[in-house]
Amino acid sequence: MIHPWLPNLKSKDRILSEMGINEEKLFSDIPHEIRLKGELNLPKVMSELEIKRKLNMLKEKNVKLKYPPFIGGGVCPHYVHEAVKFLISRSEFYTAYTPYQPEISQGILQALYEYQSIMAELLEMDVVNSSMYDWGSSLAEAVLMGFRINGRRKVIIPELINPNHEKVLRTWVEPRGINLIKVKPSNDGTIDVHDLLNKVGDDISSIYIQQPNFYGIFEKNIEEIVDIAKKKRIVTIMGVNPLALSLIKPPGVYDVDIAVGEGQELGLPLNFGGPYMGIMAVRWDAKLVRQMPGRIVGKTLDDKKRPGYTLILQTREQFARREKATSNITTNEALMAIANAVYLSLLGKNGFKELGEEIYRRSHYAAKRFIELGASKKFEGDFFEEFAVSFRKSYEKIHNKLLEHEIHGGLRLNEMDALFCVTEVHSKEAIDELVSIVGEI
């Protein structure tokens, strides 16, 4: 009997016959050199019980860590309150995909409107959309916005950009003929403004600033960089770690055109491969707002003067012809955005500031302990949450020793350097043991 859901290879010839094509025609778009030759080397068929046993056996091979990992690289562990998990698990949020008749789901629209409002206040930007996929996709869309606005094909990015964001950016924009130009860092790890000035011209579309950068270093010349860009009518894009905004000026204060960032820091656990949450906001300018991808929820009144919520400015995307659309983003990370809103609401203004201060203190305490041990910071600039350390010994040897003690160290950068992430979930006991074991090597 043919199963209605599972693949039915025995019916392949009949299906092809019904379609009026053969197998060669079906795969004609795939070059011969990359087609699979022969059969896949798959394990024998297993029952559900056997699969569970197999997965549990594989799971037991994982190293059981004593403390949250010290590896970061743009994604760091944070404590997520149970209330966040409980509220986003409610069926109103958890099961409802972004509806294609959105106005019948007023609850979800209001929740996303609240996310937009909270994020606009945090960033001090005027218009926030209801999320992108992640920081990298937000950055890529921001660069494409700049290209659509001024038609220029060169973009300046910092050399110390998050390399994962850079990969996404290159994948999205280089096929469109947009070239990325890197500006080198100063000795303290911030953007070298003199090098930037040498590379700025009338053909630059946008300038990207990451605050703090991949090595956790706070950029200090943002006003000057934005001023340089505006004189050349260059679109300014600022990527921010939202938790760092508890201590530093938000992008709106600098009058940047577009702000992007990662919502993982705000109530989302570490997930291998996501889902994460891309933040995107623009200042109030029709040229920017009309080019903004993603979904924007607006508040209005119905015919009985009752408040209601609706998606606005949608004509640009899947509702337009593909080639006419400003973006082909057709969905968002609604559940993750709602988690951000719940997380920030629970923390409140004072709690948010206290959290940022605690992360700053703990990460600086860890860096100080490493320096006392004889290591050195890779860059001298002030930092938040993450910092790069240069050791006098092979970091691979250090890392393996830490794993023997069930501690996951930092992100290996090269033979002697590593990037460490320290947040509120890393206790003084954990930091002291980390440094102590490194000192034994």
Side-chain angles (χ1 to χ4, degrees), residues 136-148 152-157 165-181 205-206 237:
S137 61
S138 294
L139 171 59
E141 287 283 0
V143 167
L144 292 175
M145 283 176 62
F147 168 63
R148 290 195 296 270
R152 303 172 185 171
R153 293 184 181 273
K154 291 183 180 177
V155 176
I156 291 179
I157 61 173
H165 301 167
E166 183 185 343
K167 285 179 184 175
V168 175
L169 180 60
R170 288 189 184 280
T171 301
W172 284 39
V173 307
E174 287 187 339
R176 301 197 182 196
I178 297 173
N179 298 314
L180 303 180
I181 300 168
S205 174
S206 57
I237 305 167

Side-chain angles (χ1 to χ4, degrees), residues 28 234 254 343:
S28 59
I234 296 170
Y254 299 106
Y343 180 84

Side-chain angles (χ1 to χ4, degrees), residues 231-243:
K231 286 177 181 173
K232 295 283 186 181
R233 302 177 71 180
I234 296 170
V235 173
T236 48
I237 305 167
M238 186 170 166
V240 293
N241 173 342
L243 275 182

Side-chain angles (χ1 to χ4, degrees), residues 58 74 109 115 117 168-169 203 238 247 275 278 319 336 355 362:
L58 293 173
L109 288 181
Y115 159 79
S117 302
V168 175
L169 180 60
D203 55 350
M238 186 170 166
L247 303 177
F319 305 106
M336 306 299 108
L355 175 60
R362 294 189 188 208

Side-chain angles (χ1 to χ4, degrees), residues 339-388:
N340 284 184
V342 175
Y343 180 84
L344 288 168
S345 300
L346 288 169
L347 274 179
K349 186 175 181 180
N350 293 334
F352 186 66
K353 185 171 178 56
E354 288 172 11
L355 175 60
E357 290 171 345
E358 193 61 38
I359 294 170
Y360 183 87
R361 272 195 295 270
R362 294 189 188 208
S363 55
H364 279 249
Y365 172 73
K368 177 173 169 286
R369 291 296 318 275
F370 276 126
I371 292 169
E372 290 171 350
L373 204 64
S376 60
K377 282 200 302 173
K378 191 173 177 65
F379 300 105
E380 288 305 313
D382 195 10
F383 64 90
F384 178 78
E385 197 171 61
E386 297 193 70
F387 56 94

